[in-house]
Amino acid sequence: MKDSADVTCRLDAAAAACQRDGVRFTELRRHVLGLVLTAEGPVTAYGLLDRLRGTRWNAAPPTVYRTLDFLLQQGLIHRVERLNAFIGCDEGASHTHAAQFLICNTCGAVDEVDNPAVANAVGLAAAAKGFTPAHATIEIEGTCAACAGSVAH
Ligand SMILES: [Zn+2]
Ligand SMILES: [Zn+2]
């Protein structure tokens, strides 16, 4: 569980970054980002829609998708393709970067790793084929440390 002071701090940082970039961080965008950040793990668009319906936002799916697209473009969240779900960026800053995700098959935990060496290696491998990558999110499935530990003991 993320504590709410941390989430408020990240929302304020997102607002400042949007202002710096000259894009609007509307109340709905802030609200949706807050929902992603307070979620226990990755959330699907429909999961978010459900949560929004519990509030005054009577959001339709296209509204949620547009809002998620905005948050993705701003680098505030990532999309975990494997799970078709969204997760807040651990970096917290408004910039896009190549991320790697460790997805636990046992407990479903998703951990973000931002290793520039991995991103560079992928870029070089693509360049060797004359390929220009636009987006490279690497998703690694396996067993997290906590689950591996509980099996060992
Ligand atoms: Zn990130
Ligand atoms: Zn696990």
Side-chain angles (χ1 to χ4, degrees), residues 20-44:
R20 186 196 64 210
D21 294 348
V23 293
R24 288 186 64 217
F25 194 53
T26 62
E27 224 184 312
L28 177 64
R29 288 167 174 176
R30 185 184 177 100
H31 193 84
V32 171
L33 179 59
L35 289 175
V36 174
L37 293 179
T38 48
E40 288 289 333
V43 278
T44 63

Side-chain angles (χ1 to χ4, degrees), residues 4 6 13 19 22 27 30 32 41-43 45 50 66 70 72 77-78 89-90 99 107 112 119 143-144 147 150:
S4 60
D6 177 52
Q19 192 169 26
E27 224 184 312
R30 185 184 177 100
V32 171
V43 278
D50 274 349
R66 268 199 307 274
F70 170 83
L72 282 169
I77 62 172
H78 290 292
C89 177
D90 278 351
C107 70
E112 178 174 348
T143 310
C144 76
C147 289
S150 69

Side-chain angles (χ1 to χ4, degrees), residues 28 56 58 71 91 136-138:
L28 177 64
R56 68 194 177 85
N58 205 359
L71 297 174
E91 299 284 294
T137 301
I138 295 165

Side-chain angles (χ1 to χ4, degrees), residues 100-122:
Q100 301 95 42
F101 292 102
L102 305 175
I103 303 170
C104 180
N105 283 331
T106 306
C107 70
V110 176
D111 199 12
E112 178 174 348
V113 185
D114 297 312
N115 188 322
V118 174
N120 276 341
V122 171

Side-chain angles (χ1 to χ4, degrees), residues 9 54 117:
C9 177

